[in-house]
Amino acid sequence: MITVEQKKKPPRTSVEISGKLTFAEVSELYAGLKPALQDVKRLELNLENVTGIDLAGYQLLLSLAKTLKENKVPLSVVPGTCRERIEKIGNFAGLPQPFVNAEGWDA
């Protein structure tokens, strides 16, 4: 099970994701993120309570980061303990790292 909690304090929107970010939860996460992304000017993504991530979850995060970049929406990330796993999945799959240029994520 995954939970998405959002808090809007214009111009910033904070989103905290808790639980497993895996294939089984991707559609639920997408549905939870969708309202948070409407009219967003700046996104703060907190992954401290993510307890697991797989390639499907990684791809969703990659898509999110790409969409925000294309729309010129600044992104800051609190990776928590899943940072190492995110980097490992990207390297293994030969995919770009989703948060390389995000605040809070050292390149």
Side-chain angles (χ1 to χ4, degrees):
M1 182 174 160
I2 194 155
T3 60
V4 178
E5 183 179 321
Q6 79 170 27
K7 297 175 187 164
K8 287 195 176 203
K9 285 186 177 179
R12 186 182 78 205
T13 299
S14 297
V15 174
E16 182 176 324
I17 300 172
S18 301
K20 288 185 176 181
L21 183 48
T22 61
F23 177 79
E25 290 82 22
V26 166
S27 62
E28 187 179 345
L29 176 59
Y30 177 76
L33 282 173
K34 203 170 179 183
L37 299 177
Q38 292 188 0
D39 301 320
V40 67
K41 303 290 184 228
R42 177 178 183 78
L43 183 67
E44 179 182 279
L45 185 62
N46 187 330
L47 304 173
E48 286 183 307
N49 294 316
V50 171
T51 57
I53 184 168
D54 67 6
L55 186 57
Y58 182 94
Q59 288 173 312
L60 182 67
L61 294 177
L62 186 61
S63 176
L64 172 65
K66 182 180 176 195
T67 299
L68 292 171
K69 185 177 180 180
E70 287 171 355
N71 292 313
K72 297 179 175 41
V73 175
L75 170 66
S76 61
V77 179
V78 179
T81 59
C82 71
R83 177 190 177 135
E84 185 178 316
R85 179 78 176 141
I86 289 171
E87 290 175 344
K88 189 175 184 178
I89 290 170
N91 290 336
F92 178 78
L95 295 170
Q97 295 296 322
F99 305 125
V100 167
N101 295 316
E103 291 177 27
W105 193 280
D106 301 324

